[in-house]
Amino acid sequence: MPLLFVGKDPESQGGNCPTVLVDDETFDLVFQGTKADQKTQVEAGEFGSLPDTEGIVRIPARMVPLIREACDVAERRGL
């Protein structure tokens, strides 16, 4: 599963995360981010249960342009 790097949060400390990537085979978007706090997880649980194979992460709103870019990359490569 080769991942295409799209970008990291320019304001992250140490440049570690959040990160946006695109899977170059399936064109899925892949996010690395801070694990959501307990309150967020409980609130999100109101929309359905969270399987053990899934997680909730927070991506800062300032990363919307990178997410749009990742969508464009996935769309261009996947069509």
Side-chain angles (χ1 to χ4, degrees):
M1 164 177 78
L3 295 176
L4 301 170
F5 174 81
V6 176
K8 287 185 180 280
D9 177 1
E11 295 184 25
S12 69
Q13 299 298 318
N16 293 326
C17 78
T19 305
V20 180
L21 307 116
V22 175
D23 183 311
D24 199 26
E25 292 177 358
T26 64
F27 312 108
D28 292 342
L29 302 184
V30 178
F31 298 98
Q32 175 187 342
T34 304
K35 290 181 181 179
D37 61 18
Q38 185 64 31
K39 180 179 183 276
T40 301
Q41 291 194 31
V42 168
E43 289 177 8
E46 294 176 11
F47 300 103
S49 62
L50 185 65
D52 290 341
T53 57
E54 295 182 5
I56 297 172
V57 298
R58 281 194 174 267
I59 304 294
R62 65 183 168 263
M63 291 186 64
V64 167
L66 288 173
I67 295 167
R68 283 191 185 112
E69 182 180 342
C71 291
D72 291 343
V73 168
E75 188 173 53
R76 281 193 308 267
R77 294 177 82 94
L79 293 179

